[in-house]
Amino acid sequence: MAIRLGLQIPNFSYGTGVEQLFPTVIAQAQEAESAGFDSVFVMDHFYQLPMLGDPDQPMLEAYTALAALATATQRVQLGTLVTGNTYRNPTLLAKIITTLDVISQGRAILGIGTGWFELEHDQLGYDFGTFTDRFNRLDESLQIILPMIKGERPTFSGTYYRATEAMANPRFRDHIPLMIGGSGEKKTIPLAARHFDHFNVIAGFDELPRKIAVVREQCEKVGRDPATLETSMLITVLLDENLSADQIPAEMTQRMVAGSAASVADQIKTKVIDAGIDSLVINIPFYSPGIVAAAGEALRPVVGL
């Protein structure tokens, strides 16, 4: 199933006690499902991100939360946007994603990227290194994970990882949709063209036409129909009739839209869909009951739902 309209849950700070934290997460996922979203994502972080809050704000471990959401929903696909490859051994990640697929009856998405949040790595004891180090780790990981989730038993010995006839059973499907997030034109986009079903473009609105051109070029280079590599963008949405685009903080103007539901839909169509992006994943920083449904109602026509 394609991703056309997804909801990403960007924080777990709801002004409630911890006992109401996860019920609020469930409420968002169920509201998204009822509103016609086809996927729900969480962030794969252990600390809150600098642009969203302080490091010690509530942050749930992604795959534990997704497994619980699988039992509280029936239709939406579930995944991370995206998994930090550096946080888990690839054989463990293969086991985690196939387990989530079993629990959800075939609704798991494997989103993956190099990892980038240095503070988490430093404080929690994960090797960070250079971007090249992290990209090479990801490349090795995929040589183990991709065969495992197909039911194969890879043997691999690399600089960072090794495995001997590694297997992941049980499995619900032979193919779990694969998503990569990034923007790099020399490494990430060529990797997406070779291996992935979905490319989440991390870029500003003004950069999208160029990124789409590079996606097409790299697909053609490996003999792939560019239409088979679905693209999306994560957009922060502030639904408030009293807000307008000129009130968005300067550092967020390229990745955020604000205003009434109709205005938000128009902005996203013009800035994202008309630029060549196939689908949307939105996050809404401040949750109140009904706001996800309102966003879904406005945005379904924009992505052809």
Side-chain angles (χ1 to χ4, degrees):
M1 180 178 175
I3 299 164
R4 302 300 294 171
L5 181 60
L7 175 71
Q8 185 224 36
I9 298 174
N11 68 66
F12 303 107
S13 301
Y14 305 124
T16 67
V18 69
E19 72 283 351
Q20 285 303 308
L21 190 157
F22 198 67
T24 305
V25 175
I26 292 173
Q28 291 174 77
Q30 292 178 337
E31 187 176 325
E33 186 166 74
S34 297
F37 286 76
D38 56 45
S39 48
V40 172
F41 298 95
V42 296
M43 300 195 302
D44 185 29
H45 287 289
F46 307 112
Y47 293 177
Q48 183 55 279
L49 303 185
M51 63 285 286
L52 297 177
D54 297 328
D56 60 353
Q57 289 184 353
M59 184 58 58
L60 299 177
E61 194 282 318
Y63 283 102
T64 315
L66 289 169
L69 284 178
T71 70
T73 55
Q74 286 76 49
R75 183 184 55 79
V76 287
Q77 300 175 100
L78 298 166
T80 62
L81 192 64
V82 290
T83 305
N85 174 67
T86 44
Y87 298 139
R88 299 168 189 84
N89 183 284
T91 54
L92 175 61
L93 183 55
K95 187 66 178 176
I96 288 169
I97 199 67
T98 51
T99 298
L100 178 62
D101 208 45
V102 169
I103 293 170
S104 65
Q105 300 281 288
R107 292 185 284 134
I109 297 171
L110 175 55
I112 195 166
T114 56
W116 63 270
F117 191 11
E118 190 168 3
L119 177 67
E120 276 182 336
H121 288 75
D122 289 346
Q123 292 199 358
L124 299 176
Y126 296 106
D127 290 338
F128 189 67
T130 65
F131 173 74
T132 298
D133 292 331
R134 297 193 304 282
F135 188 87
N136 290 339
R137 283 179 178 273
L138 176 60
D139 192 55
E140 285 195 8
S141 282
L142 293 173
Q143 295 180 63
I144 297 171
I145 294 169
L146 299 187
M148 286 182 69
I149 62 177
K150 294 176 187 174
E152 299 170 11
R153 299 187 178 189
T155 294
F156 179 84
S157 180
T159 302
Y160 305 100
Y161 304 114
R162 59 185 175 82
T164 304
E165 295 187 6
M167 60 178 173
N169 287 319
R171 295 176 305 109
F172 192 84
R173 299 179 283 178
D174 286 335
H175 182 73
I176 293 172
L178 304 170
M179 169 193 284
I180 191 168
S183 63
E185 298 178 11
K186 294 182 179 179
K187 292 185 175 182
T188 304
I189 295 178
L191 189 66
R194 291 198 305 274
H195 294 299
F196 285 81
D197 303 299
H198 190 105
F199 176 45
N200 182 257
V201 183
I202 302 173
F205 296 132
D206 292 350
E207 301 172 284
L208 295 180
R210 171 171 174 78
K211 298 302 179 185
I212 292 299
V214 176
V215 167
R216 290 174 179 152
E217 174 187 304
Q218 290 299 324
C219 284
E220 290 164 358
K221 187 175 287 189
V222 297
R224 178 177 182 175
D225 179 357
T228 65
L229 178 56
E230 187 178 62
T231 57
S232 67
M233 181 181 181
L234 174 63
I235 303 162
T236 298
V237 170
L238 292 178
L239 276 188
D240 187 333
E241 294 189 359
N242 298 316
L243 287 176
S244 60
D246 58 8
Q247 293 173 284
I248 293 173
E251 66 273 16
M252 293 297 292
T253 55
Q254 287 290 310
R255 300 185 189 189
M256 177 185 284
V257 294
S260 67
S263 172
V264 160
D266 287 344
Q267 291 175 63
I268 289 176
K269 182 181 184 305
T270 301
K271 295 179 177 182
V272 181
I273 302 300
D274 289 352
I277 295 289
D278 299 316
S279 52
L280 308 174
V281 182
I282 67 164
N283 64 32
I284 302 172
F286 310 106
Y287 175 69
S288 59
I291 197 166
V292 173
E297 184 176 355
L299 293 174
R300 281 199 312 269
V302 175
V303 293
L305 289 176

